[in-house]
Amino acid sequence: MAVCTLLTHTLALIVSKELFLSHTASASDRLCPPGWPKRCECSESTGIARCNKAGLTTIPASIPPYATSLTITGNSIPVISGPMNSSSLLNLNLANNKIQVIENSSFDLLPFLRKLNLDRNPIKFVSRNGRGFIYNLGSLRELSMIGCGLGDGTSAKGNRSNVQSLVYTLAKSQLGSLKKLNLASNRLSSLPALLLDALPSLEALHLRNNTISEIPQNLFLKTPELRVIDLSFNRIRTVSVETTEQFDKLASRHSIKVNLTSNPFYCDCALVGFISWMHQTRNVTIVKNVTYKCTASQSGPLSGRSIMNLIPKYLGCSSTSRGTGLRLPYAGLVVIIVVLSLLFVTVMYLNRRGIARHCTELQNARKGRVEERDRPCVALPYSEVTSTIS
């Protein structure tokens, strides 16, 4: 009995000690650097620091040296001015902080940063001295800017110069390692052709929920590693042969996935090539293509009909139509040929009598020459030949 009692007390002491040590470690684990609000949480064991809805108006002066992931969200930080300094930080989440301005040097001292999340901040891209705030992020793999109002869409807040500044910033930055770019929900109504030119390693491009109406030629020319293209929930009405050729060129290197769901396709002859391509392509995965529907058409009541089930005759096109319709240069050439043909026929008709008379004269002249050639030779007497010679 005494032995059992002793064992019980021993176990109780061990458990109490473990609980005490665990509580002490947990308390110290949550200890953030001086100057951080009490609502912030820091964990040395996981390498995570968080300041969610902590009432911050500036970025904390120091980042815990052990932190590999820093999340600061739901605050009001209109300007990020001072450089954030950390040689261990890999992931930085600054979403939903009402950030408007990020000074150029803000991220210069984050040499190993791999993921940057700036979602839902009304950021103004201002490039000074030929650079922007992402200029020195050479290790960056993922950049997310969802809902930052970058575009020039229907909202009055959209700013075309902001899009141009974004393109300039991307072009001048050292983002050769960037693999994922997310610009969803930004009211982008157009895509600058140079948007991706400085991103040779890009593998995933997300442009969901914008107001994009067309895909520029050669947009993917300098992104040979691209594997995911999300253009869902935009305003794309047709997909040109040039664009499908871009997809095929990417697919010749590796399989790719293209998402065009919930776009208002206009069903006319220009769409035939895209429909045929969707049926034929093998290395391109077209996400939910059976859900692609006509929203309007030039031939018949096709609204709401799946474009995968359409055939050229439904659209008033020939069965051999490739799908681009008559492009403007070819249509102009056809018109010129028709006009010249009609002009030629009209001139011939108005001058029919003169032409007939001329043809008759030519025929008579030819007939005379033939008769003269076929006339038999007559031998002259010797006396006449001698006198003629004399």
Side-chain angles (χ1 to χ4, degrees):
M1 188 67 179
V3 174
C4 291
T5 304
L6 180 62
L7 288 173
T8 301
H9 283 295
T10 303
L11 289 173
L13 287 172
I14 292 173
V15 170
S16 299
K17 183 178 180 181
E18 290 295 330
L19 288 174
F20 175 76
L21 291 175
S22 174
H23 177 75
T24 304
S26 177
S28 63
D29 209 29
R30 291 195 300 267
L31 186 63
C32 291
W36 282 48
K38 293 182 179 180
R39 294 182 185 178
C40 298
E41 299 178 358
C42 302
S43 172
E44 186 172 357
S45 60
T46 62
I48 296 175
R50 296 192 189 93
C51 275
N52 299 331
K53 297 181 180 180
L56 293 175
T57 56
T58 59
I59 298 294
S62 59
I63 299 174
Y66 53 79
T68 58
S69 177
L70 173 60
T71 299
I72 299 176
T73 62
N75 298 281
S76 181
I77 308 174
V79 178
I80 299 179
S81 55
M84 303 176 68
N85 189 351
S86 174
S87 59
S88 60
L89 196 63
L90 302 177
N91 305 325
L92 177 59
N93 184 352
L94 296 174
N96 195 26
N97 282 304
K98 301 179 182 178
I99 300 170
Q100 297 184 30
V101 177
I102 302 177
E103 294 292 339
N104 286 346
S105 61
S106 297
F107 304 138
D108 282 2
L109 302 181
L110 303 176
F112 302 109
L113 190 67
R114 297 172 66 89
K115 294 183 181 180
L116 177 59
N117 186 338
L118 297 171
D119 295 350
R120 294 177 294 281
N121 286 296
I123 297 172
K124 302 293 186 296
F125 272 87
V126 180
S127 298
R128 298 172 184 168
N129 302 322
R131 55 165 292 182
F133 61 81
I134 54 178
Y135 178 77
N136 277 329
L137 297 179
S139 298
L140 197 66
R141 300 292 189 274
E142 298 184 18
L143 174 60
S144 182
M145 298 187 66
I146 300 173
C148 292
L150 302 176
D152 55 340
T154 55
S155 172
K157 295 181 180 180
N159 187 349
R160 182 178 297 272
S161 63
N162 210 27
V163 179
Q164 295 169 345
S165 296
L166 168 62
V167 174
Y168 181 83
T169 300
L170 291 174
K172 295 298 181 180
S173 298
Q174 301 175 12
L175 297 178
S177 299
L178 192 71
K179 295 185 179 299
K180 181 178 179 181
L181 177 62
N182 195 333
L183 298 176
S185 303
N186 269 294
R187 299 195 300 271
L188 296 170
S189 62
S190 62
L191 293 175
L194 303 178
L195 177 65
L196 310 177
D197 278 13
L199 308 176
S201 301
L202 193 67
E203 294 181 0
L205 176 63
H206 296 273
L207 295 165
R208 174 187 174 94
N209 193 31
N210 283 287
T211 58
I212 299 164
S213 58
E214 63 179 348
I215 304 171
Q217 292 187 26
N218 299 324
L219 178 64
F220 311 119
L221 184 63
K222 297 185 179 180
T223 53
E225 302 302 321
L226 199 57
R227 288 169 167 81
V228 176
I229 303 171
D230 186 356
L231 284 162
S232 59
F233 293 90
N234 277 279
R235 296 182 183 176
I236 298 172
R237 293 167 64 85
T238 191
V239 179
S240 68
V241 170
E242 290 80 8
T243 298
T244 58
E245 288 175 350
Q246 289 185 66
F247 294 154
D248 285 335
K249 187 174 181 180
L250 291 171
S252 67
R253 300 172 57 93
H254 44 69
S255 61
I256 68 170
K257 182 183 293 185
V258 178
N259 189 346
L260 292 166
T261 57
S262 299
N263 276 285
F265 292 107
Y266 184 81
C267 293
D268 62 357
C269 294
L271 198 63
V272 173
F274 176 56
I275 297 171
S276 301
W277 174 80
M278 285 196 294
H279 283 291
Q280 296 169 6
T281 187
R282 293 293 177 266
N283 293 331
V284 181
T285 301
I286 308 157
V287 178
K288 297 181 180 179
N289 58 354
V290 294
T291 66
Y292 298 0
K293 296 181 180 180
C294 301
T295 56
S297 69
Q298 67 176 8
S299 178
L302 299 177
S303 180
R305 186 161 185 168
S306 172
I307 67 174
M308 291 295 290
N309 298 327
L310 296 180
I311 57 178
K313 70 176 184 179
Y314 290 160
L315 304 174
C317 312
S318 66
S319 59
T320 58
S321 174
R322 199 180 167 199
T324 57
L326 282 176
R327 297 177 193 167
L328 188 57
Y330 299 111
L333 181 60
V334 169
V335 170
I336 291 172
I337 292 173
V338 170
V339 171
L340 290 177
S341 300
L342 291 175
L343 183 61
F344 176 75
V345 171
T346 302
V347 171
M348 293 290 289
Y349 177 78
L350 294 176
N351 293 278
R352 63 188 183 280
R353 293 179 182 176
I355 293 171
R357 184 172 58 253
H358 183 66
C359 290
T360 301
E361 292 174 354
L362 289 176
Q363 187 175 6
N364 291 337
R366 183 175 179 275
K367 184 177 180 181
R369 287 195 298 271
V370 170
E371 289 177 351
E372 184 176 352
R373 184 188 62 190
D374 295 339
R375 182 183 302 167
C377 295
V378 179
L380 295 174
Y382 178 76
S383 57
E384 291 184 15
V385 174
T386 305
S387 61
T388 301
I389 294 173
S390 301

